[in-house]
Amino acid sequence: VSDWIHVKAELGAVPEDWSLFADAFERFGCPSSIQEDTPPSIGGYLVALDAAEDQVKGLRQALLALGAVAVSSELVPHEDWSELWKQHFKPRRVGRRIVVRPTWEDFDAHPDDLVIVLDPGQAFGTGDHPTTRLCLELLEETELARKAVADLGCGSGILSIAAMKLGAESVDAVDIDPLSVESTRANAALNEVHVHVAAGDGLHIFERTEWDLVVSNIISATLIRMSGSIADAVAEGGTWIASGIIRGNWNEVLSAAERAGFRLDKLAEEDEWVAARFLR
Ligand SMILES: C[S@@+](CC[C@H](N)C(=O)[O-])C[C@H]1O[C@@H](n2cnc3c(N)ncnc32)[C@H](O)[C@@H]1O
């Protein structure tokens, strides 16, 4: 259980390109920043770990260099943080049939709906972020019956649970962050689906070496760095769903994927975020 640091930049005017600011947050460990038009600002939460001081310093400099008028940072104790995001996290429909519902909210579901119940705690993945939604939409459009799936960077476990509910045969999920591993375990149990979860920094930690589909919602730099090992982990004819890509980084991610032996099958976009389905 950790505290958080809220970093907020006040901008003189609504920027032409928000992605430069969102990218700065992403580079300094905060993949989901929140933009506001009136008054113009962008903010995000960083986990208050030892390294946070340097991260906040770097982020502050980057934001000021981009033209922010002022940058504030404030410690948010864990209890306040939990309450804060509870107010924001409401049931939400994603794609055609998927509904993400927090444990503390009711939802009148249609019989065809696939309801994912979540208590994400601190882990990333409430379905509230475009990068998660794009993955869910691409997963929903992909045939998953009898498929072995890997979820690289599972966060709350939302994509693993969705894959199982969409008919996957098995899901192996990994995250570098032990809290996410715990969160995925707890959420899989809540949804009564089996997900094999482990802590680690890649798919090499599993006994299995090949999957029909790998889904990864991680920042572009990691996707680029891991594209070769992901290609090794995707069976021939298999699929890689990659998300977490700020539009400005898309060409670099595409080149890395193509170099690794993937070809683009479908592109999906929301705001300044891009996600892709690649085939191998
Ligand atoms: C943007 S979140 C995605 C969470 C969830 N899959 C979703 O789509 O909402 C990225 C997750 O990847 C994890 N991560 C980052 N680098 C990783 C790595 N090298 N190996 C495994 N997990 C990683 C982070 O801890 C974080 O939980």
Side-chain angles (χ1 to χ4, degrees):
V1 174
S2 62
D3 299 332
W4 293 78
I5 300 170
H6 184 210
V7 177
K8 190 167 176 178
E10 282 161 42
L11 312 177
V14 174
E16 231 166 79
D17 187 358
W18 279 108
S19 75
L20 297 173
F21 290 90
D23 203 28
F25 275 92
E26 192 182 340
R27 268 188 292 128
F28 289 98
C30 176
S32 50
S33 47
I34 301 147
Q35 305 159 6
E36 274 167 46
D37 281 349
T38 40
S41 71
I42 182 163
Y45 292 87
L46 299 170
V47 184
L49 298 172
D50 292 346
E53 212 173 299
D54 287 342
Q55 276 178 316
V56 172
K57 209 163 131 193
L59 178 55
R60 178 190 302 275
Q61 276 163 2
L63 292 168
L64 290 172
L66 287 169
V69 179
V71 179
S72 62
S73 58
E74 175 190 25
L75 191 74
V76 181
H78 176 73
E79 301 73 38
D80 296 0
W81 157 258
S82 306
E83 283 316 306
L84 209 71
W85 68 254
K86 272 190 177 178
Q87 288 166 20
H88 287 285
F89 185 17
K90 301 285 174 202
R92 165 197 276 279
R93 184 173 289 281
V94 184
R96 228 164 31 82
R97 292 169 62 203
I98 300 172
V99 174
V100 187
R101 169 174 82 78
T103 45
W104 57 89
E105 294 270 345
D106 290 328
F107 183 79
D108 220 353
H110 189 268
D112 271 355
D113 286 344
L114 299 177
V115 181
I116 300 174
V117 190
L118 276 191
D119 191 345
Q122 293 166 43
F124 186 102
T126 57
D128 224 28
H129 197 264
T131 58
T132 310
R133 279 203 296 275
L134 289 167
C135 283
L136 289 170
E137 285 163 14
L138 287 171
L139 278 173
E140 189 179 37
E141 289 169 18
T142 307
E143 179 56 59
L144 290 181
R146 293 181 302 284
K147 298 279 166 71
V149 173
D151 180 1
L152 175 56
C154 53
S156 65
I158 184 168
L159 304 178
S160 296
I161 295 162
M164 285 305 286
K165 294 211 171 194
L166 287 163
E169 187 171 86
S170 66
V171 177
D172 293 297
V174 60
D175 204 293
I176 204 164
D177 164 23
L179 284 172
S180 294
V181 171
E182 275 316 301
S183 178
T184 295
R185 281 207 182 108
N187 283 319
L190 260 177
N191 287 275
E192 298 175 358
V193 294
H194 179 72
V195 176
H196 177 213
V197 199
D201 74 343
L203 296 171
H204 55 271
I205 55 151
F206 293 114
E207 230 167 76
R208 182 191 275 275
T209 54
E210 230 178 41
W211 290 266
D212 301 305
L213 184 144
V214 172
V215 60
S216 53
N217 177 14
I218 319 192
I219 58 171
S220 312
T222 308
L223 296 175
I224 292 168
R225 180 167 56 80
M226 290 191 161
S227 51
S229 60
I230 293 172
D232 290 341
V234 173
E236 213 168 324
T239 306
W240 176 26
I241 293 176
S243 184
I245 308 158
I246 295 235
R247 199 183 297 273
N249 295 335
W250 165 241
N251 284 336
E252 249 184 285
V253 175
L254 176 62
S255 310
E258 286 178 338
R259 268 198 311 278
F262 287 106
R263 68 189 154 81
L264 181 63
D265 178 43
K266 176 152 192 188
L267 195 67
E269 297 174 73
E270 187 179 331
D271 301 336
E272 71 270 41
W273 298 97
V274 178
R277 185 170 62 201
F278 294 106
L279 298 180
R280 198 190 144 231

